[in-house]
Amino acid sequence: MNTRTPPSLLRSPHEAAALVRPGHTLMVGGFGLVGAPLTMIEALRGQPEARDLTIISNNLGEPGRGLGRLLLDGKVRKAVGSFFTSNPDVVRWHAEGRLEIELLPQGTMAEAIRAGGAGIGGFYVRTGAGTALAEGRETRVIDGLPYLFQRPLRADVALVRAGQADELGNLTYIKTARNFNPDMATAADVVIAEVDEIVPVGALDPERIVTPHLFVDHLVLAEGTR
Amino acid sequence: MSDVQHAIAARVARHLKPGQVVNLGIGIPTLVADHLPDRGSVFFQTENGMLGVGPTPAPEDVNPNLIHAGKLPVSETPGASYFASSASFGMIRGGRVEVAVLGALQIDATGRIANWALPGRPVLGVGGAMDLLVGARTVIVATTHTAKDGAPKIVPECAFPLTADRTVDLVVTEAATFAVEDGGLVLTELAAGTTLDWVRAHTTAPFRIRETVR
């Protein structure tokens, strides 16, 4: 029986945020604020090195909340996502030329993250063919229908929000707070998981583990309630 | 939501069959669930990673981690499941969602729709609209017959950017139902109290008329 105690993955939010460097590309989980790592986002605000960031996330938070705060702090140079119109600050900053935006259909974005984590060099997808989002994109006809080429997405750091972790970094998720988090946990050089609770190894039912520990580098405890 | 919007949703609900997997878009489509004789007879899928979406919970039962694509609280039905975004859109593009009910800004004479962007404005949001349109086996459009300013929405060609090159299957308004057949629109039903003359006056796209419609 292996009785070694695993090296602790637990970091303070401040320690974890210090891993983010100027110009980094970050994946940030969440659909709106649900499943967003709000403690880590708050920790980035106090981190001067976290600047000129490219953020890959479905939305850029809400006005003054979640990633919306990082935007107002002037830390975000570019956003890659599918739906930014729900945050008027994003629309305004883009109009003022202070924020670059790359818009992807939501399913194409999710699959590009999955591909990035799975060693896939891109894929062809029907979504967007024949629309304004096809302009300038490589197109290929497959079985008589046009498909668009999509490159994979990867990041320097992924900030994901999970439910429970064990001390190895295995992760479970809660209801629709899962969303992009399991995909993003596979697609970054450094993965920081913000969790409600860290339990001993063996305490999680293996059938419940969605993200196996080999993807997870650091754990941070969420502050406050969900 | 207005009476007209509920009337549209009720007309769409009649086209759903027990056992189908259905994705409802934001706006009028969301209301369709309220007009099914038995809400539990179909399985609602939401793009943010859930199959088996239940009705809006009572305030004391709201779970902040349980929302639909419109970011409003929902509940869990027996047999519900959760999955990651990539799996959710795999289902959608892979044809496992049998019916998508979507809103539209415009519908053209061949049944293509525009529902994600306005001309001349920066394009900053698309969400899952394009994925649902290319992937769902059947697409039903639920929309008012005209825009707020009275302008026809069913037009020869969309002035607004198209959402996909695929055509939809059914267009349901408060006044009429059109099927998309052989590359064109066919009027299949007039709502009670609507005349063919009214539909003709408020529809600029050409359409054929099913014999069963007076």
Side-chain angles (χ1 to χ4, degrees), chain A residues 61-142:
Chain A
E62 291 178 6
R65 298 181 70 195
L67 289 170
R69 283 200 184 193
L70 283 193
L71 173 73
L72 296 180
D73 288 348
K75 288 177 169 293
V76 184
R77 184 183 68 77
K78 179 178 177 182
V80 181
S82 89
F83 201 76
F84 295 112
T85 31
S86 50
N87 184 345
D89 291 337
V90 176
V91 177
R92 182 164 52 83
W93 278 57
H94 175 72
E96 292 168 356
R98 301 156 84 186
L99 176 71
E100 189 184 337
I101 284 183
E102 181 179 340
L103 191 70
L104 293 171
Q106 194 178 160
T108 300
M109 176 184 161
E111 188 65 11
I113 295 165
R114 200 196 68 78
I120 305 293
F123 55 91
Y124 290 92
V125 63
R126 276 283 295 140
T127 310
T131 75
L133 292 191
E135 283 164 21
R137 301 279 299 276
E138 180 189 336
T139 303
R140 180 168 168 179
V141 175
I142 301 173

Side-chain angles (χ1 to χ4, degrees), chain B residues 122-199:
Chain B
V123 172
L124 298 178
V126 57
M130 290 185 177
D131 303 282
L132 282 162
L133 195 44
V134 301
R137 262 186 266 164
T138 298
V139 177
I140 301 176
V141 170
T143 179
T144 54
H145 204 93
T146 59
K148 283 197 184 106
D149 63 1
K153 285 183 144 192
I154 305 170
V155 294
E157 280 185 49
C158 291
F160 297 176
L162 290 173
T163 308
D165 53 14
R166 177 226 170 124
T167 57
V168 303
D169 299 280
L170 208 60
V171 177
V172 178
T173 77
E174 72 278 22
T177 300
F178 297 90
V180 178
E181 291 174 9
D182 304 323
L185 302 175
V186 181
L187 178 70
T188 58
E189 193 185 51
L190 285 175
T194 306
T195 65
L196 186 54
D197 284 344
W198 189 94
V199 173

Side-chain angles (χ1 to χ4, degrees), chain A residues 186-200:
Chain A
T186 69
D189 296 343
V190 175
V191 174
I192 300 166
E194 176 177 328
V195 299
D196 291 324
E197 185 186 11
I198 302 173
V199 299

